[in-house]
Amino acid sequence: MDDGRRRPVTIADIAAATGVATSTVSRALSRPGRVSAATRERIQAAARELDYVPHPTARALASGRTGTVALVVSDVTNPFYFGMIRGTQQQLKAAGYAHLLIDTEDSGEHEIEMLHTMRRSLDGAILGASRLPARSLVALADEIPLVTVNRNVRGVPSVVIDTPAGIAQAVEHLVSLGHRDIVYVSGPQQSWSNQARWQAMKAALERHKLGAQRVGPFPSGRGSGTAAADAVLNSGATACVAFNDLFAIGMLTRLRERGVRVPADLSVVGCDDIFGADFSNPPLTTLTAPIEQAGRVAVSLLVSRLEHQPLRRAVVLPTYLTVRDSTGPRR
C-alpha cells in the first residue's frame, strides 16, 4: 500500500538514468577526480535532477569524512560557553560542517569516554576548557584532530584567552584604589585556567611587594559563591578576584545576605564578562574576554588541519578589565 511517501533516490537510480555502473556513480559523487569530467558532470546533473541526498553513513564510509565536528564543554549551563557555542556553530556552518555539542559534566573521565566512543562519527573536536591531563590530550590528539580552547599543551593546536594579562590589570586597579589585602577565589583544582590565573595574580602582587593568598578551591558554578564569600570574609581581605563571573555573582548574593556592602566593605572582581555580569547587583567589574571569537578561531584552526592547509599551532586572544560598580576605594 502506497502511504504517499517518496522512496529515497539511490545511486542505482542515478546509474540507470545515466547508463553507467553504480561504482562509477559512487566515484563521481565521493571522489570526483577519479572519473572523467564529462561523466562526472552528467552524473552530478542527474543527481540534482533526481534530488539525490547521500546517506551520511554511506558518505562517511566512502570519503572517510563525516562532516561533523564536536564542541566539548564542561558545563553547558555555564554562560561562559554561550558565546563559544555561537561562534563555533556559525563558523562550522560556513565551512560546511555539522555541529555536535557534548557536555562532560565537569568530568575528565566522561570527556575522554565520550570522545573515544564517538571518534568514528567525528572529523574532529574542539575542547573548551578541557579537564584532561596533558598526557591524555596528546594521546587523544593522535586519534582525532583536536583544537583546545583555554588549554595550552605542546603538540595540540590551541586558542588561549589571555586572562592572566587581565588578572594583572585587575590587581593594578585594586592597588590603585588603596587595597593591600587582596585574595584570589580559586576555581576547580583540575582547571588549567584556574592555575594560570593564580600564577598571574601572585606575580602581579609580588611586583607591588604584596603577599598573595587564595581561598578554595571551589567547584565551578554560582552555588559555590556562598562558601567563597564566607571564606573571603574570614580572610580579612578588602578585595578579591574570583576565578569566574559565576563565582563572583554568587558571592554578591551571599554578601548582600550578610549585610556586607559592595564595594564599600569589599571589592569584587570577576573573570570572563559573561551574560548577566553587567546587570548583577551591583554591576560586576570583570575581565572581558573574546569568547565568541575564540570559538570562531578554534574552528578555523581545526578546518585548516582537516583541509591540510598551513596550520598555526597557537593563537592568543587579549582580554581587558571592564570597571563597573563592584570595586571601589578601600574603606
Side-chain angles (χ1 to χ4, degrees):
M1 179 178 175
D2 186 1
D3 62 2
R5 288 180 294 185
R6 182 183 173 189
R7 179 179 65 82
V9 175
T10 67
I11 61 171
D13 298 320
I14 300 173
T18 55
V20 300
T22 55
S23 59
T24 304
V25 174
S26 177
R27 285 196 300 274
L29 296 177
S30 61
R31 296 184 176 92
R34 297 181 61 184
V35 298
S36 69
T39 301
R40 180 175 68 247
E41 290 171 6
R42 191 165 84 252
I43 290 170
Q44 290 177 343
R48 288 192 297 269
E49 184 178 340
L50 294 170
D51 198 21
Y52 170 70
V53 178
H55 191 281
T57 303
R59 180 171 56 191
L61 289 171
S63 66
R65 301 281 286 274
T66 67
T68 301
V69 168
L71 171 62
V72 182
V73 302
S74 60
D75 179 6
V76 75
T77 65
N78 186 339
F80 171 80
Y81 291 114
F82 295 173
M84 191 181 298
I85 293 168
R86 183 166 52 248
T88 54
Q89 182 166 300
Q90 290 172 350
Q91 198 75 7
L92 285 169
K93 182 180 179 181
Y97 288 86
H99 181 265
L100 176 67
L101 182 61
I102 297 176
D103 183 352
T104 68
E105 301 173 10
D106 217 13
S107 165
E109 291 181 4
H110 189 46
E111 180 178 345
I112 199 165
E113 179 185 341
M114 289 294 293
L115 287 168
H116 275 311
T117 300
M118 304 195 67
R119 68 186 184 278
R120 297 187 187 280
S121 303
L122 302 171
D123 286 343
I126 296 167
L127 309 185
S130 175
R131 300 297 191 238
L132 293 176
R135 184 177 299 179
S136 298
L137 275 176
V138 171
L140 190 62
D142 288 336
E143 300 179 23
I144 180 173
L146 294 180
V147 173
T148 61
V149 178
N150 269 3
R151 185 70 188 273
N152 197 355
V153 175
R154 184 183 296 273
V156 182
S158 64
V159 180
V160 176
I161 297 173
D162 192 12
T163 47
I167 292 286
Q169 294 176 39
V171 170
E172 294 297 327
H173 170 64
L174 293 171
V175 170
S176 75
L177 293 171
H179 295 282
R180 297 296 179 266
D181 296 308
I182 307 169
V183 65
Y184 177 66
V185 184
S186 180
Q189 203 160 13
Q190 70 273 30
S191 166
W192 181 86
S193 295
N194 181 60
Q195 296 303 320
R197 293 171 189 182
W198 166 236
Q199 294 302 323
M201 184 156 173
K202 284 200 298 182
L205 288 168
E206 285 170 5
R207 284 194 293 271
H208 289 279
K209 296 181 170 38
L210 297 175
Q213 59 175 325
R214 60 177 166 174
V215 295
F218 299 102
S220 185
R222 181 174 175 175
S224 296
T226 297
D230 290 344
V232 170
L233 293 175
N234 290 339
S235 74
T238 63
C240 67
V241 177
F243 165 66
N244 65 17
D245 286 346
L246 284 182
F247 276 15
I249 292 170
M251 289 176 65
L252 293 178
T253 300
R254 176 60 171 171
L255 293 168
R256 195 162 53 250
E257 291 172 352
R258 293 191 55 172
V260 178
R261 298 168 300 164
V262 175
D265 299 325
L266 178 70
S267 287
V268 178
V269 178
C271 286
D272 302 328
D273 202 8
I274 62 171
F275 176 78
D278 56 342
F279 49 80
S280 60
N281 184 17
L284 183 65
T285 294
T286 185
L287 304 182
T288 298
I291 302 168
E292 185 171 330
Q293 182 185 359
R296 292 196 301 268
V297 173
V299 170
S300 297
L301 291 180
L302 183 61
V303 170
S304 293
R305 181 177 178 187
L306 295 176
E307 303 295 336
H308 306 290
Q309 298 171 358
L311 175 64
R312 294 175 66 185
R313 281 290 173 184
V315 176
V316 178
L317 301 178
T319 60
Y320 59 90
L321 182 69
T322 297
V323 178
R324 299 194 180 105
D325 295 341
S326 66
T327 51
R330 178 185 180 186
R331 69 173 184 269

